[in-house]
C-alpha cells in the first residue's frame, strides 16, 4: 500500500506531492490515517521563510486521524487502541530545562518536534500534510468518541493555543468570568476560537475586532458568541476605540486578546484596555516588523501583558473536553472549514495565503 505526502521544498516553492510505502508502525509509534489536517498560520510563516525549516520535510502540526496500527500493549499504556480517533501533538519538551522544571513545558527552551525528520527516511510520514502519519504514542491524544473528529481538527492548534493563554492568565491571578468585558483582535482561527472559548467561560461581553469588513464572518462570529463585531474598515480606528472605551464607565475593556499577528494592533489594544486590564498576546508568532508605542501607557494604566506562544498536552486535552461538553457548537465549527485533498495542497496554500478561507484543512 502507498499513500501521499505533501513535501515542503523550501521558501516560496510549491509543495511536491509524493507517494511512499505504508509500513508497520515502528515500536513506540502509532500509525494513523488522515481524517483532517489543518493549515496553520505558522505553516504559512514557514512557507514564506519566516521560520527556519529544512526542505524535504512534511510540515503541518494539526494532524487528526484514525489510529490503524500500533502495538496493543504499548498503546494501552497511553489509553489508546486501534480504531481511536487521535490528535497528533508534535511538541516534545525536554523535561529538564528551567521552563520544564517550573511548569512551563509549553515553552521548553530545548523543544524538539516529531515532524522534523527528512521525508526520505522511512517511515516517511512524520508531519501533518500526509494521508498517513507516524507519531510516538506518547504524543497521540485520544478524541472522545462523541466528538466529531473533523470538528476537532478545525481548531486542533488554535484551540489549545487560546486555552494555554487563558491558563497563563489564571496563573497570573486574572479571573476571566461573568464580569469580564473582552475584545478579541483578529478573526482568523485563533481569534474565532478565542470568541468561542470566552463565550464558553461565560464572560459578560465579547467584542470581535478585525481589520476588514466581512459580513459573512461577522454573522458567524455572532453565532459563535460575539456580542458585537467591529472592523477598522467600517468603523475606523477611532470608532472602534470609542466603542471599546465606553465599557466600564469609560475606562475600557478588562481583557484584550491579540490574535491578529499585526504589530499595529498592539497600540489599539493598549488604548482600549482599562487600568489594570490584561493584554493576552498569543497572536504575534513571527517577526512582522516594529511599531512605535508609548511605554508610559503601560505604566500609567498599570497594564498587565502576557505573551503565550505554544501549548502542552494538557491544553489539547482541555480543548477536547471543551468540545465534548459543547456539542451544540459542532455544526457552526464545521462550517468554518474549507477542505482540500493532499494532492491539492498548493491550491490550499494559495487560498489560505490570500485569506480566502477561515480555516483551511487537508483531507484524504
Ligand atoms: Zn499551529
Ligand atoms: Zn525543557
Amino acid at each position: 500500500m502507498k499513500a501521499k505526502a505533501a513535501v515542503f521544498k523550501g521558501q516560496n516553492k510549491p509543495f511536491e506531492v509524493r507517494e511512499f510505502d505504508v509500513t508497520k508502525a515502528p515500536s513506540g509509534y502509532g500509525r494513523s490515517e488522515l481524517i483532517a489536517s489543518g493549515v496553520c498560520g505558522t505553516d504559512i510563516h514557514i512557507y514564506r521563510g519566516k521560520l527556519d525549516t529544512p526542505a524535504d520535510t512534511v510540515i503541518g502540526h494539526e494532524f487528526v486521524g484514525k489510529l490503524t496500527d500500533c502495538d496493543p500493549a504499548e498503546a494501552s499504556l497511553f489509553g489508546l487502541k486501534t480504531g481511536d480517533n487521535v490528535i497528533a501533538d508534535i511538541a516534545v519538551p525536554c523535561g529538564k530545562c528551567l521552563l520544564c522544571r517550573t511548569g512551563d513545558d509549553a515553552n521548553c527552551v530545548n523543544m524538539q518536534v516529531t515532524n522534523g525528520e527528512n521525508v526520505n527516511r522511512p517511515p516517511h510520514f512524520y508531519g501533518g500534510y500526509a494521508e498517513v502519519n507516524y507519531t510516538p504514542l506518547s504524543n497521540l491524544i485520544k478524541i472522545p468518541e462523541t466528538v466529531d473528529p473533523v470538528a476537532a481538527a478545525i481548531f486542533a492548534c488554535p484551540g489549545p493555543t487560546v486555552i494555554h493563554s487563558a491558563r497563563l492568565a489564571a496563573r497570573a491571578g486574572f479571573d476571566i468570568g461573568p464580569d469580564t468585558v473582552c475584545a478579541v483582535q483578529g478573526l482568523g482561527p485563533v481569534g474565532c476560537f478565542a470568541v468561542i472559548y470566552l463565550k464558553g467561560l461565560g464572560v459578560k461581553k465579547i467584542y470581535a475586532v478585525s481589520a476588514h469588513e466581512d459580513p459573512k464572518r461577522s454573522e458567524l462570529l455572532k453565532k459563535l458568541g460575539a456580542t458585537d463585531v467591529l472592523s477598522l474598515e467600517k468603523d475606523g480606528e477611532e470608532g472602534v476605540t470609542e466603542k471599546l472605551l465606553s465599557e466600564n464607565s469609560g475606562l475600557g475593556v478588562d481583557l484584550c486578546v491579540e490574535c491578529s499577528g499585526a504589530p499595529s494592533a498592539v497600540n489599539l489594544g493598549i488604548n482600549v484596555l482599562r487600568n489594570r486590564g490584561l493584554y493576552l498576546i498569543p497572536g504575534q508568532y513571527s517577526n512582522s516588523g516594529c511599531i512605535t508605542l508609548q511605554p508610559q501607557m503601560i505604566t500609567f494604566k498599570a497594564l498587565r501583558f502576557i505573551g503565550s506562544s505554544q501549548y502542552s498536552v494538557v491544553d489539547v486535552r482541555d480543548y477536547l473536553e471543551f468540545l465534548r461538553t459543547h456539542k451544540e457548537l459542532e455544526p457552526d465549527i464545521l462550517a468554518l472549514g474549507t477542505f482540500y485533498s493532499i494532492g491539492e495542497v498548493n491550491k490550499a496554500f494559495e487560498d489560505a495565503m490570500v485569506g480566502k478561507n477561515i480555516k483551511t484543512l487537508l483531507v484524504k
Side-chain angles (χ1 to χ4, degrees):
M1 193 177 113
K2 285 184 183 287
K4 290 192 184 103
V7 180
F8 175 64
K9 297 304 287 181
Q11 184 181 352
N12 294 322
K13 294 199 178 127
F15 289 88
E16 191 183 330
V17 179
R18 290 175 63 185
E19 286 201 334
F20 297 95
D21 286 330
V22 177
T23 50
K24 263 196 89 55
S27 173
Y29 278 70
R31 186 186 78 207
S32 310
E33 273 167 38
L34 175 66
I35 293 175
S37 184
V39 172
C40 181
T42 304
D43 301 331
I44 293 173
H45 295 316
I46 289 171
Y47 185 80
R48 289 180 170 147
K50 285 183 167 185
L51 295 167
D52 215 15
T53 304
D56 289 323
T57 48
V58 179
I59 64 165
H61 53 268
E62 302 187 357
F63 186 95
V64 167
K66 187 177 279 296
L67 188 57
T68 50
D69 184 43
C70 55
D71 179 289
E74 285 178 355
S76 72
L77 297 175
F78 300 98
L80 297 165
K81 58 179 183 330
T82 55
D84 285 347
N85 295 325
V86 290
I87 290 183
D89 180 18
I90 65 159
V92 186
C94 76
K96 293 177 189 150
C97 72
L98 173 67
L99 280 292
C100 282
R101 283 188 280 112
T102 49
D104 279 310
D105 68 349
N107 295 103
C108 170
V109 293
N110 305 312
M111 188 72 90
Q112 302 290 310
V113 289
T114 59
N115 67 346
E117 285 288 353
N118 188 291
V119 72
N120 294 307
R121 199 178 145 249
H124 312 293
F125 301 96
Y126 302 100
Y129 293 1
E131 292 174 342
V132 164
N133 172 275
Y134 296 89
T135 287
L137 290 159
S138 54
N139 281 59
L140 293 177
I141 299 129
K142 182 182 161 134
I143 299 172
E145 265 137 43
T146 54
V147 172
D148 180 336
V150 182
I154 303 276
F155 295 117
C157 160
T161 297
V162 168
I163 288 173
H164 189 74
S165 70
R167 188 185 303 284
L168 294 186
R171 259 172 57 180
F174 190 94
D175 189 24
I176 303 174
D179 297 327
T180 315
V181 177
C182 319
V184 174
Q185 297 176 279
L187 303 180
V190 178
C192 284
F193 190 78
V195 168
I196 293 169
Y197 190 63
L198 290 169
K199 169 82 176 168
L201 293 180
V203 300
K204 189 172 172 187
K205 280 187 193 173
I206 307 163
Y207 291 101
V209 183
S210 67
H212 302 291
E213 180 66 11
D214 182 342
K216 202 173 143 215
R217 201 174 288 215
S218 298
E219 258 340 283
L220 269 168
L221 277 151
K222 281 184 187 160
K223 259 176 121 178
L224 291 169
T227 318
D228 203 354
V229 183
L230 309 170
S231 76
L232 299 177
E233 189 180 346
K234 180 167 71 81
D235 305 288
E237 185 153 344
E238 265 179 41
V240 172
T241 305
E242 197 181 320
K243 181 92 185 181
L244 297 179
L245 277 179
S246 71
E247 291 296 336
N248 284 316
S249 313
L251 290 178
V253 299
D254 304 294
L255 170 71
C256 192
V257 191
E258 201 318 273
C259 308
S260 75
S264 58
V266 175
N267 272 320
L268 177 70
I270 290 173
N271 286 335
V272 300
L273 275 164
R274 69 161 166 87
N275 297 45
R276 292 292 288 138
L278 172 64
Y279 206 172
L280 264 188
I281 310 184
Q284 303 274 342
Y285 208 79
S286 72
N287 185 351
S288 301
C290 299
I291 52 164
T292 303
L293 63 79
Q294 296 177 32
Q296 98 282 357
M297 294 279 282
I298 302 170
T299 303
F300 190 70
K301 289 169 86 170
L303 295 176
R304 290 173 273 186
F305 277 57
I306 297 181
S308 181
S309 59
Q310 277 139 278
Y311 52 82
S312 304
V313 167
V314 61
D315 302 301
V316 181
R317 292 195 196 286
D318 282 4
Y319 164 65
L320 291 169
E321 183 59 13
F322 180 83
L323 294 184
R324 192 186 69 77
T325 52
H326 293 80
K327 275 292 281 181
E328 71 286 358
L329 294 171
E330 236 169 46
D332 292 328
I333 289 176
L334 283 166
L336 302 174
T338 306
F339 303 92
Y340 302 79
S341 70
I342 294 290
E344 296 170 316
V345 61
N346 288 306
K347 171 77 178 137
F349 251 69
E350 211 176 280
D351 291 351
M353 283 195 294
V354 295
K356 197 170 160 196
N357 310 323
I358 296 179
K359 181 69 189 181
T360 302
L361 299 106
L362 302 173
V363 290
K364 194 146 182 203

